[in-house]
Amino acid sequence: MAPPIETFPASEVPVRVQTAANGKRRKGDKIKLEDCELLEMVQYSCWLEGKKQDVTKCRPIVKLFRKCAGGLIVETTALEKG
């Protein structure tokens, strides 16, 4: 089982991205998410329908990310759509 992770509001992402997972400040200049490349990924949520559960229906779920220098990728879906 994966360890529990801290949750925080999307509004804190620009501040939290300045700190690495080990709690130390990231090296280099301050990361400005708006300067990072915007990427999009589409995932699908699917379910079965019908009397015999023989019809698969899916709906797309769009997720947005920012890819910054040094390979850092941050999900920003809530920030971009909010």
Side-chain angles (χ1 to χ4, degrees), residues 11-28:
S11 61
E12 289 185 21
V13 171
V15 173
R16 299 249 184 171
V17 76
Q18 307 304 323
T19 306
N22 63 7
K24 295 182 180 179
R25 188 183 184 299
R26 292 188 188 277
K27 295 179 182 179

Side-chain angles (χ1 to χ4, degrees), residues 58-82:
C58 299
R59 69 176 178 90
I61 300 171
V62 177
K63 295 193 176 192
L64 301 172
F65 297 84
R66 292 287 180 159
K67 183 177 181 181
C68 304
L72 175 68
I73 300 177
V74 180
E75 183 179 357
T76 58
T77 305
L79 286 176
E80 307 290 344
K81 292 185 173 186

Side-chain angles (χ1 to χ4, degrees), residues 17-65:
V17 76
Q18 307 304 323
T19 306
N22 63 7
K24 295 182 180 179
R25 188 183 184 299
R26 292 188 188 277
K27 295 179 182 179
D29 294 335
K30 183 178 177 180
I31 297 168
K32 296 178 185 173
L33 290 175
E34 62 273 8
D35 294 341
C36 300
E37 178 184 7
L38 180 62
L39 303 173
E40 178 182 279
M41 178 178 73
V42 180
Q43 291 182 311
Y44 293 88
S45 175
C46 300
W47 60 95
L48 297 173
E49 287 186 350
K51 287 184 178 181
K52 297 181 183 178
Q53 297 285 294
D54 57 349
V55 177
T56 302
K57 295 216 174 174
C58 299
R59 69 176 178 90
I61 300 171
V62 177
K63 295 193 176 192
L64 301 172
F65 297 84

